[in-house]
Amino acid sequence: MKSSFKEIIDSDVPVLVDFFADWCGPCKMLAPILKQVKDDMGDGLKIVKIDVDKNQPLANKYNVRGVPTMMLFKNGKQLWRQSGVLQKNDILAVVRQFA
């Protein structure tokens, strides 16, 4: 990662973190949904993808036991967490709640 995870989540713009794995089928289903979310939100949301196999200490720190797991951060605070695939409108509803 170019910058530290802490620097990324300290943003005053909401940051949606997608903990995923290359071998995970549902993770592959979530990727295009997240792209649509980003297209809708534009600069009002950052999306960061974290490969749990390459970033195990970070996954352990946040107690990620299954993938995909999404977390929403703002100003360094975790505001929301959900495992599994959600549809675009469900994700947008959560993000807009904290934007």
Side-chain angles (χ1 to χ4, degrees):
M1 295 178 91
K2 286 179 248 159
S3 51
S4 79
F5 188 73
K6 182 174 178 356
E7 286 173 26
I8 293 168
I9 65 171
D10 271 346
S11 170
D12 57 355
V13 173
V15 180
L16 183 64
V17 180
D18 172 25
F19 287 92
F20 77 101
D22 287 333
W23 46 263
C24 163
C27 298
K28 291 180 176 132
M29 290 169 43
L30 185 59
I33 295 169
L34 291 179
K35 182 177 180 339
Q36 293 172 0
V37 168
K38 178 63 179 161
D39 289 346
D40 276 25
M41 292 297 297
D43 292 337
L45 176 69
K46 293 179 185 174
I47 297 180
V48 179
K49 296 178 72 63
I50 305 287
D51 186 330
V52 294
D53 293 327
K54 294 178 182 162
N55 297 283
Q56 286 183 334
L58 193 57
N60 289 339
K61 178 180 178 182
Y62 287 96
N63 206 21
V64 175
R65 297 286 172 250
V67 286
T69 294
M70 291 179 284
M71 295 180 198
L72 187 68
F73 293 89
K74 188 172 183 179
N75 297 319
K77 292 191 175 105
Q78 182 180 322
L79 304 172
W80 174 82
R81 175 186 180 132
Q82 177 76 42
S83 293
V85 176
L86 292 179
Q87 295 307 309
K88 177 181 97 167
N89 289 337
D90 296 329
I91 298 169
L92 283 170
V94 168
V95 170
R96 287 181 175 140
Q97 183 179 335
F98 297 108

